[in-house]
Amino acid sequence: MSGAVERLGEVRGRIAAAEREAGRAAGSATLVAVSKTFDAGHIRPVIAAGQRVVGENRVQEAQSKWPDLKAEFPDIELHLIGPLQSNKAKEAVALFDVIETVDREKIAAELAKEIAKQGKAPKLYVQVNTGSEPQKAGIEPTEAVAFVKRCRDVHGLAIEGLMCIPPADENPGPHFALLAKLAKEAGLEKLSMGMSGDYETAIAFGATSVRVGSAIFGTR
Ligand SMILES: *Cc1c(COP(=O)(O)O)cnc(C)c1O
């Protein structure tokens, strides 16, 4: 058994335990296995072990490996979890099943245009910069609820949930709590939060999906 498959089993076990501990239904937190920087040879065993929801942070890198893997495993659900440039909206809509990083007006407009043109509608999340970090993507928390509304009303986009990446050097709990509060205000049910170091905490705060990379695939 590959090391990644063994670690996948451990992560699944810890997710199940965190769900139980939080009094949540089994399977209510979806594992998104983040395969960025790993090639198809590393990813295939993890898919063969039953993992179907996967994440990549760069459109170009995903284009180089996922069309073939999706042909091999048609029920893959591929998430874009990294920043989206508006000149990549066309490629992103064509390749991804879920885009988690809608964070500004221009991207919303480009996505709406491509969705209409391609007749294909990925599920969409709005990324919130919960720590207001200048270098980080995501809409400001104070603007998030209004932005979700504009995505719907101005651009006709159905937003499913919110996503965040807390500051690396802070306790993530308050950031997860903030994201959950904003989602509630915006009337959204999905919360993408938690990574290798804090996915159990995220589940305690209501994450409906956790994005786990290195704890499965190893250090990058
Ligand atoms: C890389 C990445 C992850 C996974 O990070 P790990 O710490 O390796 O689990 C999750 N979310 C985003 C947005 C990422 O870019």
Side-chain angles (χ1 to χ4, degrees):
M1 191 157 63
S2 90
V5 170
E6 202 168 309
R7 289 189 294 268
L8 173 69
E10 284 166 25
V11 169
R12 283 186 182 153
R14 287 174 59 173
I15 288 173
E19 287 170 339
R20 273 196 304 278
E21 197 150 321
R24 296 181 46 175
S28 58
T30 298
L31 172 60
V32 180
V34 177
S35 53
K36 66 190 187 197
T37 78
F38 290 94
D39 62 18
H42 286 89
I43 300 168
R44 200 173 279 110
V46 169
I47 301 174
Q51 181 63 31
R52 286 296 180 275
V53 186
V54 291
E56 288 281 343
N57 70 331
R58 301 175 72 159
V59 175
Q60 216 161 346
E61 182 187 343
Q63 277 179 313
S64 75
K65 53 191 176 186
W66 283 100
D68 287 351
L69 284 167
K70 280 183 128 188
E72 215 175 309
F73 303 96
D75 55 345
I76 286 289
E77 182 180 283
L78 181 61
H79 291 226
L80 177 62
I81 60 171
L84 179 57
Q85 309 303 322
S86 49
N87 63 1
K88 287 278 183 350
K90 179 180 172 186
E91 288 86 348
V93 168
L95 181 62
F96 290 92
D97 304 293
V98 182
I99 296 174
E100 298 198 10
T101 50
V102 183
D103 67 351
R104 57 194 187 279
E105 206 74 39
K106 190 166 180 215
I107 287 295
E110 284 298 318
L111 288 172
K113 198 172 91 189
E114 283 305 325
I115 286 167
K117 215 192 263 179
Q118 298 184 30
K120 176 179 182 286
K123 292 175 181 165
L124 302 174
Y125 286 55
V126 164
Q127 181 177 355
V128 182
N129 187 358
T130 57
S132 299
E133 296 172 279
Q135 82 287 5
K136 199 167 268 176
I139 189 128
E140 283 296 307
T142 51
E143 296 166 20
V145 175
F147 179 63
V148 169
K149 194 169 184 313
R150 277 204 310 282
C151 284
R152 288 189 197 124
D153 299 348
V154 179
H155 303 287
L157 296 173
I159 302 294
E160 298 225 329
L162 300 181
M163 175 269 212
C164 76
I165 311 168
D169 55 355
E170 285 183 30
N171 174 7
H175 295 273
F176 297 153
L178 173 59
L179 199 72
K181 175 176 163 279
L182 293 171
K184 198 168 179 196
E185 283 174 28
L188 302 174
E189 294 192 344
K190 304 282 186 180
L191 286 170
S192 170
M193 54 193 201
M195 311 184 2
S196 290
D198 55 20
Y199 63 92
E200 290 149 300
T201 305
I203 290 169
F205 280 93
T208 57
S209 61
V210 293
R211 311 177 307 269
V212 179
S214 49
I216 297 169
F217 290 100
T219 47
R220 291 180 292 269

